[in-house]
Every structure is written in C-alpha cells, then in structure tokens.
Amino acid sequence: MNIGVFDSGLGGLTIVKTMLQNLEDADIVYIADTKNAPYGEKSLKQIIDFSIKITDYLIDTYAMEVLVVACNTATSAAIEHLRHRYSNLLIVGTEPGLKPAISQSVAKKVGILATPATLNGAKYINLRNQLAQEYDVEVFEQACPGLVQQIESGTLDSPKTISMLHGWLSWMKEAGVDTIVLGCTHYPLVAKVIKEVMGREVNLIETSMPITKRVKELSGIKMGQNSNNNLEIYATGDINQKMVDIILGHKKEVKYISLS
Ligand code: DGL
C-alpha cells in the first residue's frame, strides 16, 4: 500500500513519525509544501488548489492508494473537494481532537490552539458548539498566526516564540484551563514550551495515533513495532533539514520537487 501524506511543511511529520512507529511495511511519500506555507493564512481556494496539485502528483508519480491530509487547515478547507474529486482514493483527514478534549476536561475548561483558517471552518464550529453544550464545557479558542513560521525556522523555544505563547495562553492560564487541543500538526513540536508557559499540569491533545489507526483500518496495513517501513520526503521550497532530523529522530535527506 502506497501512502501519500502532505502538509504545508514540517508539521505533518509529527503524524508520519507515529505512523512509522506503529505500522508495518508501509511505503510513505511525504510532501512538505513549504513553497506555499503557511496554509493557515491563505484563502480557501488557494488551499484547495494546493491540495489538488499535491494529490495529482502523488497519484501520477507514486500510484498512491491512501492519502493522509496531515494538516488540520487543509482538511478543513479541502477534504470535501478531495473526497468528491478522487472518489476511488482512501482519504484520511486531520481534525482538532475536540471530542477527547471536551470529554476529558475535569475543570470543564478547554483551550483550542489552531490556525485562523481551521477555527473558521464550518464543520469545526458546528462540532465545537455541539460538544461544548453537550458536556457543559467552556471553550477558549485561540488562533496562533506566526507560530507555524517559528516552528519551520526551528526557533521552538526562542524568546520570541515563548513570548507569543505567553500572549496566547495567559487567558487560559488565568481561567484554569486543564486541557488544550493542539489543532495544528505543527504544534506538538512546541508541546514542551506550551506546558512550561502554562506552568502546571495540562493535558495536551494531538491526533497522530487516531490517524494512524484509521490508516490501518482503511488500508489493511498491520500495526506492529517491527516495522519495515519506507519513507521518502519531498519539499516544494526551502525546508529546515535539521528540524526534519530532530522530528524523525534520525537523519533523512529531503529532496526538492517542483509542482507546476
Ligand atoms: N500543519 C498545518 C495544520 O495542521 C499547518 C498550518 C499552516 O501551514 O498554517 O493546520
């Protein structure tokens, strides 16, 4: 089974890493669309166009059978279009982990960090309203423009990144939020800093494991630790090679591709 995975940059590698650790015999091709990053500040039409271009490339070049949209923003903007356009393709999207967060919060106060585009998505807004009411939970929603760029440049715990996070998290901290949804696949890369800024025990919710299990269900690929997986990484623009190696925990050369 050939699995294609894409994101605007490094973030989707947080999902690839979990897939590599838990699947057996998977052939994964990852596209980091760094030429067009960040997606979160682009229009819906632009994000749909980027997603279609990448999907066409993965089908034509790698005979991809399963597509993982490893990006909350692209999932929100484009997944309906992709499912309609590629009806034979198995497609797995990435959505903020609202249900686990809202159902697990003891304080009944949940923070949600995501890109502006994700927080404006109709499906997200409906689910958030429905769950917040059902579980009687207060939701603290926060867009984090600029955080993806900090992560792409590898400045995970620079004074600037810490000060941005302080600005976004202070109202959650004061209100006693105990659970925070990492609603962008880049954000697990600053999980440690988020915990430090919150200054106390906080449950961070990310979705790489549910996505890996969904890939397994759809593809029939087995779960297992003795993996014989293969990974190729391509970027459409500049990428921080050092960050790729840090995320994966080993050296992995990124090749450049141009998607015309
Ligand atoms: N990792 C993407 C997401 O999950 C990135 C967003 C961006 O490029 O702004 O939303």
Side-chain angles (χ1 to χ4, degrees):
M1 270 279 173
N2 292 339
I3 305 174
V5 185
F6 79 91
D7 180 34
S8 63
L10 297 165
L13 288 175
T14 58
I15 293 177
V16 167
K17 182 158 192 206
T18 304
M19 286 170 49
L20 290 173
Q21 286 169 338
N22 293 282
L23 295 177
E24 286 194 351
D25 302 322
D27 268 315
I28 301 173
V29 177
Y30 183 82
I31 311 271
D33 192 14
T34 49
K35 183 180 166 208
N36 297 309
Y39 279 5
E41 290 150 54
K42 300 283 186 313
S43 71
L44 282 190
K45 185 178 175 321
Q46 283 175 305
I47 302 169
I48 292 168
D49 287 347
F50 301 149
S51 303
I52 288 174
K53 212 167 265 184
I54 294 169
T55 307
D56 281 342
Y57 174 81
L58 285 166
I59 292 173
D60 295 346
T61 316
Y62 293 99
M64 167 181 65
E65 294 155 286
V66 182
L67 172 68
V68 179
V69 182
C71 174
N72 294 261
T73 308
T75 300
S76 164
I79 201 137
E80 298 300 330
H81 285 75
L82 296 177
R83 289 196 202 282
H84 186 71
R85 191 177 173 112
Y86 307 96
S87 50
N88 292 327
L89 191 63
L90 302 170
I91 303 180
V92 180
T94 305
E95 279 164 18
L98 287 178
K99 181 91 196 265
I102 290 181
S103 60
Q104 284 168 29
S105 171
V106 176
K108 294 204 169 280
K109 290 174 200 276
V110 169
I112 299 168
L113 305 178
T115 66
T118 298
L119 295 177
N120 286 330
K123 197 173 161 205
Y124 163 81
I125 293 172
N126 289 338
L127 185 65
R128 182 253 282 149
N129 289 345
Q130 182 211 315
L131 290 172
Q133 195 181 17
E134 188 182 329
Y135 288 86
D136 190 22
V137 161
E138 201 180 339
V139 168
F140 298 72
E141 218 167 62
Q142 181 66 60
C144 306
L147 185 53
V148 163
Q149 292 91 318
Q150 291 300 108
I151 295 168
E152 287 288 326
S153 67
T155 49
L156 303 184
D157 56 1
S158 67
K160 184 173 171 196
T161 309
I162 293 172
S163 133
M164 288 164 101
L165 284 166
H166 264 291
W168 293 318
L169 294 170
S170 60
W171 65 311
M172 299 187 193
K173 198 171 158 177
E174 278 159 30
V177 163
D178 66 351
T179 307
I180 296 181
V181 175
L182 303 178
C184 167
T185 53
H186 281 73
Y187 299 172
L189 299 168
V190 286
K192 196 167 151 260
V193 190
I194 291 174
K195 286 192 170 177
E196 278 163 14
V197 170
M198 287 301 283
R200 60 185 148 73
E201 201 48 49
V202 61
N203 188 13
L204 301 182
I205 306 285
E206 54 91 26
T207 51
S208 63
M209 200 56 196
I211 289 168
T212 300
K213 287 187 178 154
R214 185 71 188 132
V215 169
K216 177 221 154 219
E217 273 166 25
L218 285 181
S219 66
I221 291 174
K222 288 204 211 81
M223 301 286 277
Q225 309 293 320
N226 294 326
S227 64
N228 183 24
N229 298 310
N230 189 40
L231 171 67
E232 294 292 328
I233 305 181
Y234 298 92
T236 59
D238 289 342
I239 194 158
N240 187 327
Q241 176 71 57
K242 205 170 135 211
M243 278 297 294
V244 172
D245 300 342
I246 290 172
I247 297 166
L248 294 174
H250 57 84
K251 254 202 118 30
K252 180 78 211 175
E253 191 207 337
V254 179
K255 295 172 199 141
Y256 175 77
I257 43 158
S258 166
L259 304 180
S260 49

